Amino acid sequence: MSDLGTELAAATAAMLARFPVDLRTPDAESGTQLWAALVDAGFTSVDVPEEAGGQGAGLADALAVLDALAGAGALTPYAEHALLAAWLAGSVGHSLDGATATVAVVDDATVDRDGERVRLSGDAVGVAHLATAEVVVALADTPDGPVIAVCRCDSPDVRLDSGTDLSGMSFGDIDFEGVEADFSAASPITVDDLRTRGALVYAVALAAAARTVRERTIRYAAERVQFGRPLAKFQAIQQTLAHMAAQTTLMETAARAAVESTTAADPLTARTAAAAAKVVASRHASEVAAAAHQIHGAIGFTSEHALGRFTTALWGWSDRYGDDHEWADVLAERILDGGVDPWDVIVGGRDGNA
């Protein structure tokens, strides 16, 4: 982690101390004070270009903030707004001007132009933080190439089908019915680019949540006494804790390697690392959550217990921007169709096709 990333993580931790997170599940409050503090501090535009109103830092620095937030169980729109929507709009020099945003991929989209007006039609599935977003930054996949369109969520032509995810935060689909965009431009970012970045973002978030689950479970096993001795003294519990520790370490290591790869000159190397991180994080997330609940017993399933905030994240985030099977296919394609040496994929090396 860079010096700036370390400072951002420390500053985020200080904000979390000022605005403690309510860890009941489903979410009992939206954490608006924390989000306002992040916005005021400029943390929601860390790696957005300066010409688009951002700080112009690196993605790794912005991910340091996400790691701190996810590890604390804070439910904010940081991933969708700061790391995806603001970055996407910033790639064409557009500033969101303080509006809270979410991001959506519109497959098979139609973009109609009438003079200076642009209207977007199409569907977006699995959009997070719909209830808190004021605008949606849509990446429309059209026959003429990808288009970025910024639309207001309160537009009468934006149909929101919003439910909630396991943590209680809004999550649903959007139907764009000829929505007039406030801003639009041809996109230098493809759908694959956005999905790769989203996969990296959620690999980092999953690793942070798993780290907290591991720490809380180890502490609980040391404190909880059964049959006259702590749970951590029982061999079966020790084996479960050791297996959990190995899995979470794998998740953290893969995420760290993927974050470090964001500075690589070769985008294929970064994509491979992100794919590997998402495979590892998504594959082990449910197992880490299950082991934690086994050790905590019934108390871990209560809505008031903090464990649920992190295990619901592990369950709910594992398929965001692709599950382990999808990203395993990406890695296999590089090896089988791209002629890449598997060892280079494993160690992160470069090859003639990278």
Side-chain angles (χ1 to χ4, degrees), residues 242-282:
H243 189 52
M244 176 193 288
Q247 290 174 316
T248 55
T249 300
L250 282 171
M251 294 170 71
E252 291 176 292
T253 302
R256 188 181 307 114
V259 171
E260 291 173 354
S261 77
T262 61
T263 60
D266 174 25
L268 282 180
T269 298
R271 178 172 168 79
T272 298
K278 194 60 164 66
V279 169
V280 172
S282 293

Side-chain angles (χ1 to χ4, degrees), residues 37 44 62 78 93 102 141 161 192 194 211 294 307-308 330-331 337 342:
T44 56
Y78 188 83
T102 189
D141 192 14
D161 181 13
D192 282 346
L194 178 59
R211 180 182 67 238
Q294 281 183 323
L307 181 67
V330 171
L331 293 177
D337 298 335

Side-chain angles (χ1 to χ4, degrees), residues 125-139:
V125 179
V127 181
H129 293 286
L130 285 178
T132 54
E134 299 168 83
V135 300
V136 56
V137 180
L139 181 60

Side-chain angles (χ1 to χ4, degrees), residues 47-218:
D47 74 326
V48 174
E50 293 182 9
E51 57 269 26
Q55 313 304 317
L59 173 56
D61 300 318
L63 288 170
V65 177
L66 175 69
D67 179 85
L69 293 172
L75 296 180
T76 70
Y78 188 83
E80 281 69 28
H81 173 96
L83 292 169
L84 299 173
W87 164 77
L88 186 59
S91 70
V92 289
H94 181 70
S95 172
L96 296 177
D97 294 326
T100 300
T102 189
V103 66
V105 174
V106 186
D107 293 316
D108 299 322
T110 300
V111 175
D112 296 319
R113 300 185 182 276
D114 180 11
E116 295 183 355
R117 296 191 305 175
V118 171
R119 294 188 178 276
L120 172 65
S121 299
D123 299 324
V125 179
V127 181
H129 293 286
L130 285 178
T132 54
E134 299 168 83
V135 300
V136 56
V137 180
L139 181 60
D141 192 14
T142 76
D144 296 325
V147 174
I148 295 171
V150 180
C151 307
R152 296 201 62 81
C153 291
D154 59 3
S155 168
D157 297 318
V158 174
R159 310 295 185 188
L160 304 179
D161 181 13
S162 179
T164 61
D165 62 12
L166 292 174
S167 66
M169 298 303 292
S170 61
F171 186 80
D173 305 331
I174 305 178
D175 181 12
F176 297 90
E177 301 179 352
V179 180
E180 184 174 349
D182 290 349
F183 171 86
S184 67
S187 175
I189 307 298
T190 68
V191 171
D192 282 346
D193 294 335
L194 178 59
R195 288 186 61 79
T196 299
R197 185 177 172 104
L200 171 59
V201 165
Y202 275 100
V204 170
L206 284 165
R211 180 182 67 238
T212 301
V213 168
R214 177 190 64 206
E215 293 170 352
R216 286 180 172 272
T217 304
I218 290 174

